[in-house]
């Protein structure tokens, strides 16, 4: 009989340009923020490209020492920008199966020690090398293709994409861990320099340093460790072709749609009952596609809904209350873990000024590369289960 799995603590380092901190320091900062003092049975570390960014591989023991957790098994896991979600899933499975009672996941990436064009080159290794990266197609370029197609099929406008950025920057102003804590207007986004048409600088997530940590435990142990644990009802993963050229559609991410369908089935949750979502807005178009892939809005409906304010903190489905990748920042290996950390804060009523009132059920959506890997989590707060 699979066991029930709960998040008992979560924390985050400050995201941003953290030139003064190494990977071990960032991990320690996130761990201390989580405030967990118990013993763990195992550690999963997520990072997309620590070797390329910092010349440091073998992060399991590095992070284990930094958080002072003895000699338990530790391993690093890579699934591009979905590394964090994939590591949470492995931790979830190990607790659910009965192998371990308490498992930590620390996600991190230190990206700003290399020049910007080198960061872009390293990131593009998560796309299809032969047909995409080596032709010069960076991630902004790949997502720009998706944006153009979405505009062609559904009439999505650049202003509607800009509204995603304005909303997420506004939310990040309420998050003291965020990379950017400044508002931007739709006009600011429209006037920002082009990166890959139609995407502009303010349509893109930044290159960030940062770490996030969560600690999960089986039901009996969890209740002794936290007064307000949040249950992980489901954590599902799906895959698709690495290259955009092999996809059946580029107006959405089929792997995300499949993982969301599975997660909803396994959790028993209904979309209408989801109180908030942390989704993978690496580019503004990615948030629009995420909302349509998960099913919050019909195809072609999410951009208009965003423009109407339905995804704002006070809207019917608050999306990215943390500020999302766009404004909280996107240290790629940390992102998926950070999404779970935000949901835990929200479900335990500890999200401060960005608290979604009455949040009981939350969804995470984490995507790797241009969508070849997707992980969807569904969490439920204590109040919600009663
Ligand atoms: N959003 C908002 N502001 C940004 C920003 C972003 N994405 N990127 C940079 N800035 C700001 C910087 O803070 C800096 O502000 P300052 O002058 O007040 O200090 C200014 O813009 C210039 O920064 P710089 O580092 O020179 O920007 P850049 O032109 O080198 O990089 C991007 C801009 C958009 C190209 C870069 O952020 C990027 O590549 N993003 C995408 C990352 C990515 O692909 N991730 C993986 C997704 S799958």
């Amino acid at each position: 009989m699979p066991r029930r799995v709960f998040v008992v603590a979560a924390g985050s380092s400050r995201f941003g340009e953290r030139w003064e901190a190494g990977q071990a320091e960032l991990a320690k900062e996130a761990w201390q923020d989580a405030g967990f003092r118990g013993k763990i049975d195992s550690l999963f570390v997520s990072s997309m490209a620590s070797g390329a960014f910092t010349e440091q591989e073998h992060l399991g023991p590095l992070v284990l020492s930094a958080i002072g957790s003895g000699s338990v098994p530790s391993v690093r896991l890579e699934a591009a920008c979905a590394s964090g979600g994939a590591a949470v899933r492995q931790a979830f499975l190990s607790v659910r199966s009965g192998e371990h009672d308490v498992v930590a996941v620390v996600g991190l990436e230190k990206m700003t020690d290399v020049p910007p064009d080198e960061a872009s080159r390293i990131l593009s290794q998560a796309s299809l090398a032969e047909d995409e990266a080596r032709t010069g197609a960076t991630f902004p370029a790949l997502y720009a293709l998706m944006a153009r197609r979405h505009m062609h099929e559904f009439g999505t406008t650049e202003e509607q994409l800009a509204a995603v950025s304005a909303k997420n920057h506004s939310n990040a102003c309420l998050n003291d861990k965020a990379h950017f804590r400044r508002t931007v207007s739709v006009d600011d986004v429209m006037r920002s320099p082009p990166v890959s048409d139609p995407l502009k600088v303010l349509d893109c997530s930044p290159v960030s340093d940062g770490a996030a940590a969560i600690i999960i435990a089986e039901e009996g142990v969890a209740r002794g460790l936290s007064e307000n644990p949040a249950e992980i009802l489901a954590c599902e993963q799906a895959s698709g072709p690495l290259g955009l050229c092999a996809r059946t559609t580029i107006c959405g991410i089929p792997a995300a749609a499949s993982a969301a369908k599975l997660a909803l089935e396994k959790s028993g949750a209904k979309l209408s009952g989801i109180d908030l979502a942390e989704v993978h807005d690496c580019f503004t178009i990615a948030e629009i596609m995420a909302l349509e892939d998960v099913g919050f809005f019909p195809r072609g409906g999410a951009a208009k809904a965003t423009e109407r304010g339905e995804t704002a903190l006070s809207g019917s489905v608050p999306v990215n209350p943390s500020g999302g990748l766009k404004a909280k920042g996107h240290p790629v290996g940390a992102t998926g873990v950070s999404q779970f950390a935000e949901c835990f804060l929200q479900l335990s009523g500890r999200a401060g000024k960005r608290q979604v009132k009455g949040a009981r059920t939350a969804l995470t959506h984490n995507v790797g590369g241009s969508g070849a890997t997707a992980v969807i989590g569904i969490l439920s707060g204590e109040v919600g289960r009663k």
Side-chain angles (χ1 to χ4, degrees):
M1 179 78 178
R3 305 192 302 175
R4 292 171 71 182
V5 181
F6 292 76
V7 183
V8 294
S12 175
S13 75
R14 188 168 56 75
F15 284 10
E17 290 189 4
R18 299 293 310 273
W19 291 340
E20 82 293 357
Q23 293 181 106
E25 283 88 5
L26 290 172
K28 189 173 170 187
E29 194 178 315
W31 188 256
Q32 288 176 339
D33 187 51
F36 181 75
R37 290 190 180 75
K39 285 206 164 71
I40 60 169
D41 300 324
S42 173
L43 169 70
F44 289 89
V45 176
S46 56
S47 157
M48 175 186 151
S50 65
F53 280 122
T54 68
E55 298 182 355
Q56 177 68 65
E57 302 284 16
H58 207 177
L59 290 190
L62 181 90
V63 172
L64 190 71
S65 301
I67 65 173
S69 286
S71 57
V72 300
S74 59
V75 69
R76 173 264 185 107
L77 190 144
E78 183 273 318
C81 303
S83 298
V88 172
R89 177 172 151 79
Q90 291 308 312
F92 167 77
L93 293 176
S94 78
V95 173
R96 191 160 171 268
S97 68
E99 183 66 23
H100 294 123
D101 287 341
V102 185
V103 176
V105 188
V106 176
L108 76 158
E109 208 78 55
K110 178 125 183 66
M111 305 168 74
T112 69
D113 284 355
V114 298
D117 55 344
E118 178 63 2
S120 186
R121 190 193 66 77
I122 292 169
L123 286 166
S124 70
Q125 291 174 351
S127 66
L128 186 60
E130 280 175 16
D131 296 332
E132 292 176 343
R134 284 181 203 153
T135 68
T138 58
F139 276 114
L142 293 173
Y143 276 89
L145 288 173
M146 298 191 217
R148 272 282 165 235
R149 189 70 206 176
H150 205 280
M151 290 171 162
H152 174 74
E153 298 258 342
F154 303 113
T156 306
T157 66
E158 293 184 42
E159 286 80 3
Q160 288 169 339
L161 297 182
V164 172
S165 179
K167 167 184 70 72
N168 290 348
H169 269 268
S170 166
N171 292 350
C173 291
L174 307 175
N175 183 353
D176 62 4
K177 302 285 169 46
H179 188 149
F180 296 122
R181 297 188 69 196
R182 59 184 164 89
T183 54
V184 304
S185 65
V186 167
D187 277 354
D188 292 333
V189 182
M190 294 298 290
R191 284 198 301 263
S192 65
V195 175
S196 185
D197 183 69
L199 302 179
K200 308 160 194 71
V201 168
L202 290 175
D203 284 297
C204 303
S205 59
V207 170
S208 314
D209 304 325
I214 66 165
I215 297 92
I216 64 172
E218 70 84 23
E219 186 175 10
V221 178
R223 296 203 185 280
L225 289 172
S226 169
E227 285 178 5
N228 220 350
E231 182 167 9
I232 303 181
L233 299 176
C235 189
E236 292 301 317
Q237 184 171 344
S239 311
L242 195 53
L244 276 190
C245 52
R247 306 264 173 87
T248 50
T249 173
I250 62 167
C251 284
I253 292 180
S258 304
K261 188 166 178 285
L262 268 176
L264 285 164
E265 277 167 17
K266 289 207 175 175
S267 66
K270 297 249 176 311
L271 266 184
S272 55
I274 303 281
D275 298 309
L276 69 116
E278 281 286 308
V279 309
H280 198 96
D281 58 324
C282 49
F283 301 95
T284 48
I285 184 63
E287 178 165 316
I288 299 300
M289 294 191 301
L291 298 179
E292 295 171 356
D293 287 337
V294 171
F296 284 117
F297 301 102
R299 290 276 163 216
K304 295 182 193 83
T306 303
E307 210 169 33
R308 287 194 297 267
E310 290 178 32
T311 57
L313 213 43
S314 57
S316 52
V317 194
V319 175
N320 283 326
S322 69
L325 285 55
K326 172 67 207 78
K328 178 183 62 178
H330 185 25
V332 286
T335 286
V337 185
S338 171
Q339 293 177 330
F340 275 84
E342 175 69 12
C343 290
F344 174 71
L345 289 184
Q346 291 283 353
L347 295 172
S348 54
R350 280 179 269 192
K353 289 183 181 156
R354 63 182 189 281
Q355 178 69 44
V356 174
K357 287 198 182 72
R360 294 175 172 191
T361 308
L363 180 142
T364 63
H365 162 282
N366 185 203
V367 162
S370 61
T373 300
V375 184
I376 304 283
I378 297 182
L379 298 92
S380 164
E382 191 75 18
V383 187
R385 287 198 309 280
K386 284 183 178 160

